[in-house]
């Protein structure tokens, strides 16, 4: 089996694909209230193009896909895309990161098409706060999405909570407590200084250590746990808990040395690192009529320039990528 190994001996087997830059919510830490100027339809990769590019990646060693956005569930025909990707030889799992509000009605169809599991982003358990953070969402819809995912076994279901000082950091213990009785795998994410939200992130940053201390003070010590994961979170469990707890600490304890991923943006740029401005225009090359060999060579070039790590702790410089464009 081919393996993609980068210059730092990391095996690259995971591709995150942003399938749209559009979203049905406007989370305050991610998008401006008025939304972003959306890409023109013709600039967005068509499903056949995504499948072709994934085929090249799979030939080189990509095994796991994650669909993200924007909000992946707002793109028409997403169930068909999952089905098409499932048939690409070499692909072993397809997961999705979603805000969950449109998930309940199509969870089963996604599962039947071959989706393996979902991560649902949920930053609060309080309805008014949910409406305020997302500017237009309803908590009950997100919770219904989580319920549906559990009932059709899109599992393990991971719940992503971005901890923002003064906004929802007082709920970390409530989220952790939920893992006691629900099969929720709650992951606390450090607010990352990206794009327009860089300044906000620096003011409202809460480290994973602080969140963890808050949880352990209230609920007791966490013990190591293991769940199926192709991501950077180390996982923990409260004594006797059904679910688990994880911390994604991009800033305080970065996981670059084990980074196994590449990102494909909705307009067809292959990006070696979330925190780098480097990107390679696969769409342009593809639409210019490139054969598989040329695309293959381009993929290898991208891997070769994957940096050893990010350096966000230092200066205030950050990438121009917006989270909603690149998909987290
Ligand atoms: N719309 C989908 C969702 O919300 O799950 C997928 C795309 S969203 C950009 C992916 C993840 O990035 C979400 O969990 C979101 O909370 C997270 N995110 C967005 N901006 C972030 C930031 N500045 N720092 C950390 N996480 C962020
Ligand atoms: Fe949309 Fe996800 Fe960004 Fe919220 S975090 S605005 S749901 S893309």
């Amino acid at each position: 089996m081919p393996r993609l190994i980068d210059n730092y001996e990391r095996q690259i087997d995971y591709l995150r694909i942003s399938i749209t830059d559009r979203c049905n919510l406007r989370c305050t830490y991610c998008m401006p209230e008025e939304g972003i100027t959306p890409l023109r339809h013709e600039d967005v990769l068509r499903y056949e193009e995504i499948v072709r590019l994934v085929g090249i990646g799979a030939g080189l060693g990509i095994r796991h896909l994650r669909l993200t956005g924007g909000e992946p569930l707002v793109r028409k025909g997403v169930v068909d895309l999952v089905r098409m990707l499932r048939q690409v030889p070499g692909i072993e799992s397809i997961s999705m990161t979603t805000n969950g509000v449109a998930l309940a009605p199509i969870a089963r169809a996604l599962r039947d098409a071959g989706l393996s599991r979902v991560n649902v982003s949920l930053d609060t358990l309080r309805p008014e706060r949910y409406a305020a953070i997302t500017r237009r969402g309803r908590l009950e819809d997100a919770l219904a999405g989580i319920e549906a995912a559990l009932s059709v076994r899109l599992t393990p279901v991971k719940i992503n909570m971005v901890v923002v000082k003064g906004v929802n950091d007082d709920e970390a213990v409530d989220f952790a407590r939920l893992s006691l009785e629900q099969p929720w795998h709650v992951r606390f994410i450090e607010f990352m200084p990206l794009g327009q939200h860089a300044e906000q992130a620096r003011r409202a940053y809460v480290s994973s250590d602080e969140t963890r201390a808050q949880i352990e003070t209230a609920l007791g010590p966490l013990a190591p746990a293991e769940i199926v994961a192709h991501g950077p979170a180390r996982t923990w469990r409260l004594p006797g808990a059904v679910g688990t707890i994880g911390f994604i600490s991009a800033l305080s304890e970065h996981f670059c040395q084990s980074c196994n991923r590449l990102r494909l943006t909705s307009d067809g740029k292959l990006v070696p690192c979330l925190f780098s401005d480097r990107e390679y225009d696969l769409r342009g090359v593809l639409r210019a009529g490139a054969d598989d060999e040329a695309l293959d060579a381009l993929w290898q070039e991208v891997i070769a320039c994957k940096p050893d790590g990010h350096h966000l702790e230092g200066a205030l410089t950050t990438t121009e990528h917006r989270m909603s464009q690149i998909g987290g």
Side-chain angles (χ1 to χ4, degrees):
M1 270 289 166
R3 296 165 78 218
L4 271 177
I5 307 286
D6 75 1
N7 291 340
Y8 303 94
E9 296 296 314
R10 295 170 299 196
Q11 185 182 344
I12 312 299
D13 63 359
Y14 177 44
L15 179 68
R16 293 179 72 105
I17 309 173
S18 173
I19 64 169
T20 177
D21 59 334
R22 292 164 199 244
C23 187
N24 46 359
L25 302 183
R26 297 281 181 273
C27 301
T28 46
Y29 57 78
C30 178
M31 277 207 193
E33 176 139 34
E34 63 283 8
I36 51 163
T37 310
L39 290 167
R40 297 178 311 166
H41 281 294
E42 59 268 35
D43 291 336
V44 175
L45 283 182
R46 296 189 289 274
Y47 285 166
E48 299 69 35
E49 292 175 321
I50 295 177
V51 171
R52 172 137 184 248
L53 292 176
V54 166
I56 304 284
L60 286 164
I62 295 291
R63 296 287 166 263
H64 307 286
L65 306 176
R66 173 170 298 280
L67 306 183
T68 173
E71 171 50 40
L73 295 181
V74 304
R75 182 145 176 199
K76 270 202 202 105
V78 60
V79 173
D80 300 326
L81 176 65
V82 171
R83 194 174 300 109
M84 289 156 83
L85 291 171
R86 197 68 232 195
Q87 285 160 15
V88 175
I91 295 303
E92 293 170 16
S93 75
I94 307 176
S95 51
M96 179 181 283
T97 298
T98 167
N99 60 40
V101 298
L103 180 58
I106 60 163
R108 185 172 297 281
L110 286 167
R111 172 84 236 185
D112 292 347
L115 192 71
S116 315
R117 58 188 167 270
V118 289
N119 291 4
V120 180
S121 305
L122 185 70
D123 298 318
T124 174
L125 299 165
R126 304 181 193 175
E128 305 78 49
R129 197 178 265 186
Y130 188 87
I133 293 175
T134 64
R135 293 198 185 103
R136 54 182 64 179
R138 295 195 316 167
L139 177 65
E140 61 195 87
D141 295 333
L143 294 177
I146 293 170
E147 271 308 305
L150 288 170
S151 78
V152 304
R153 305 199 56 73
L154 282 169
T155 49
V157 175
K158 297 182 194 163
I159 309 295
N160 287 347
M161 183 222 201
V162 180
V163 186
V164 183
K165 192 180 285 167
V167 173
N168 64 354
D169 53 335
D170 55 346
E171 288 189 70
V173 172
D174 294 343
F175 272 83
R177 197 178 281 118
L178 273 171
S179 76
L180 284 168
E181 286 177 8
Q182 308 280 346
W184 283 25
H185 299 280
V186 179
R187 289 129 42 99
F188 298 97
I189 301 179
E190 286 182 350
F191 193 178
M192 293 185 265
L194 284 172
Q196 289 182 329
H197 295 87
E199 230 3 269
Q200 182 192 356
R202 284 175 210 283
R203 280 197 309 274
Y205 171 75
V206 182
S207 73
S208 291
D209 281 353
E210 289 171 74
T211 304
R212 180 175 178 154
Q214 219 185 323
I215 293 167
E216 292 197 310
T217 304
L219 302 172
L222 295 171
E226 283 306 323
I227 57 164
V228 181
H230 299 285
R234 283 184 299 139
T235 47
W236 307 89
R237 201 186 288 280
L238 285 164
V242 188
T244 63
I245 289 173
F247 300 93
I248 301 191
S249 321
L251 288 181
S252 65
E253 188 192 353
H254 64 71
F255 28 75
C256 306
Q257 66 284 356
S258 59
C259 181
N260 61 346
R261 60 192 52 192
L262 292 176
R263 294 178 155 80
L264 182 63
T265 64
S266 46
D267 58 347
K269 309 272 184 3
L270 194 56
V271 180
C273 170
L274 179 58
F275 299 102
S276 131
D277 286 330
R278 274 192 125 141
E279 50 184 34
Y280 289 73
D281 181 18
L282 290 193
R283 187 196 68 201
V285 178
L286 186 75
R287 291 189 183 169
D291 59 13
D292 286 0
E293 216 173 301
L295 288 168
D296 199 293
L298 195 49
W299 271 83
Q300 307 220 35
E301 205 181 306
V302 178
I303 306 285
C305 78
K306 199 168 154 55
D308 61 332
H310 72 65
H311 304 281
L312 287 177
E313 310 86 340
L316 268 170
T317 51
T318 60
T319 167
E320 277 312 299
H321 289 307
R322 283 205 204 94
M323 224 32 179
S324 57
Q325 286 172 324
I326 201 169

